[in-house]
Amino acid sequence: MKRYGQRTVLRKLTFGLEPGERVVLVGPNGSGKSTLLRIIAGLLAPDEGRVVIDGGHWRQERKNPESVPIGYVPERMPFLRFSPEEYLQYMGAIQGIEAGVLAQRINRLLAMCRLENSRRMPIRHFSKGMLHKVGIMQALLSEPKLLLMDEPFSGLDAESQEEVMELLLQLGKQGMGLLFVSHEPEHYGRVATRMIVLNQDGGWQDKLLTSSNTKSNRLLIRAAGLEEAAARELAQKSGAELIMAAREACFVTGESNSDALLQFILGQGGSVKAVYPEREALLKWPGWVHDNAGGVWPPEGEGEQT
């Protein structure tokens, strides 16, 4: 939990992250996404709670810099006078990495990020995509178990976005845990295996994005003009999940049952507003995820994230 005056974010937030898992944090501005990254990175103290890595209390493990198990990439990297090679040498020395080991890691990271030919070019001449790769390399110098990234796709051109997505997938396959903030579902939907939705009131929701939880043959059907009692009866008859909102009933059902459900809706005098694959709906509108109080459909303006 973190408090800012009278406002509280990250209220009773509890979650774990396994090796190789790729988790995206989404939510409106002010919901605590970047705050959570800074807390996990050890840059900001929570008012309540703690971060545990492999059974140890993270904030107590920072005494030995070479054992740091977490890498952190901020949203913006400064334009420095260093070349990438000089910057990584400097950052590695600060972390206490032995010179020979450091040289090998720098060569490997430059190759992985396709910056070998720019290793001695001043960073101040880099594009934002190249600069972002420098930030990723410095975060990977310590060979962390967990990589934190704040808006890794923001402001990058299409080619750089593809390269970052490819890199994140590669790191996940190597067993590194990834936790990143993003507001672009067309990008994080291709990388993340799990989504944590943060709300401005401090609440949160957790949703897996694997095929076993967002099946490709499940659909979300938005219907209007139905009384709640009629909508619940339709859901019960068809075996669909029901999410009630102020003006709509939203049904989640298997593709094989969708035709019958659509006929039920029209037969009760309702109208069908839209039909989406379940995963597409989840990525576009994370706020519809079920919580203990029932389903929540997007607010006014269709609920797209900004």
Side-chain angles (χ1 to χ4, degrees):
M1 179 184 293
K2 186 65 180 177
R3 299 185 184 90
Y4 293 98
Q6 299 297 315
R7 191 167 65 87
T8 299
V9 296
L10 311 177
R11 190 190 309 275
K12 297 182 180 179
L13 175 62
T14 303
F15 71 97
L17 195 147
E18 298 295 328
E21 197 169 17
R22 305 185 299 274
V23 181
V24 60
L25 296 172
V26 300
N29 292 337
S31 58
K33 303 184 297 296
S34 296
T35 296
L36 178 59
L37 291 188
R38 290 196 291 270
I39 288 174
I40 296 174
L43 303 174
L44 184 65
D47 293 307
E48 294 181 19
R50 61 176 184 162
V51 178
V52 176
I53 303 293
D54 279 352
H57 188 189
W58 161 232
R59 293 188 63 80
Q60 295 175 350
E61 291 181 350
R62 301 201 63 186
K63 296 178 182 178
N64 181 358
E66 195 169 0
S67 69
V68 172
I70 293 180
Y72 174 63
V73 185
E75 183 177 359
R76 295 179 180 84
M77 278 286 295
F79 286 93
L80 304 170
R81 293 182 178 274
F82 294 112
S83 68
E85 187 173 49
E86 292 169 336
Y87 176 63
L88 294 174
Q89 288 171 343
Y90 178 70
M91 296 301 293
I94 290 177
Q95 296 179 36
I97 302 174
E98 190 271 326
V101 174
L102 178 60
Q104 292 177 0
R105 291 184 187 177
I106 290 174
N107 287 334
R108 186 173 68 249
L109 290 169
L110 286 168
M112 182 176 68
C113 292
R114 303 174 187 173
L115 289 178
E116 302 106 312
N117 295 333
S118 304
R119 63 191 304 152
R120 295 184 177 88
M121 181 185 298
I123 291 175
R124 65 178 182 271
H125 298 317
F126 278 16
S127 66
K128 184 170 182 180
M130 295 172 68
L131 188 64
H132 198 60
K133 289 180 181 179
V134 174
I136 294 173
M137 289 191 295
Q138 65 81 23
L140 296 176
L141 269 180
S142 61
E143 297 188 334
K145 299 177 182 178
L146 173 63
L147 180 64
L148 310 173
M149 304 182 73
D150 199 346
E151 296 287 359
F153 312 114
S154 178
L156 303 185
D157 59 38
E159 182 178 356
S160 296
Q161 289 173 340
E162 288 291 332
E163 290 178 349
V164 171
M165 281 188 280
E166 180 182 331
L167 178 59
L168 295 184
L169 290 171
Q170 178 183 345
L171 293 172
K173 290 178 181 178
Q174 294 171 1
M176 185 177 296
L178 304 175
L179 180 64
F180 62 99
V181 171
S182 182
H183 67 278
E184 300 167 283
E186 66 272 23
H187 301 132
Y188 68 68
R190 294 170 55 186
V191 175
T193 58
R194 184 168 152 214
M195 172 189 292
I196 295 178
V197 185
L198 302 180
N199 303 324
Q200 285 183 318
D201 63 2
W204 59 282
Q205 300 154 335
D206 196 341
K207 182 76 172 179
L208 289 175
L209 297 176
T210 58
S211 58
S212 62
N213 288 273
T214 52
K215 298 177 182 177
S216 59
N217 64 343
R218 280 165 57 95
L219 301 174
L220 186 140
I221 300 172
R222 294 174 57 187
L226 293 175
E227 297 292 334
E228 182 173 349
R232 296 194 181 281
E233 182 180 357
L234 290 179
Q236 185 176 12
K237 286 182 178 179
S238 64
E241 300 174 33
L242 174 64
I243 303 170
M244 288 301 302
R247 300 178 308 278
E248 294 182 3
C250 306
F251 301 90
V252 182
T253 186
E255 190 171 4
S256 60
N257 296 330
S258 60
D259 287 346
L261 179 55
L262 290 170
Q263 291 176 1
F264 285 151
I265 292 170
L266 296 175
Q268 290 291 324
S271 61
V272 176
K273 296 190 66 175
V275 178
Y276 305 98
E278 183 188 19
R279 181 182 174 89
E280 178 184 326
L282 175 61
L283 292 174
K284 192 172 184 181
W285 298 294
W288 80 268
V289 179
H290 287 284
D291 60 21
N292 292 332
V296 180
W297 185 249
E300 295 290 339
E302 296 293 292
E304 285 92 345
Q305 292 199 27
T306 57

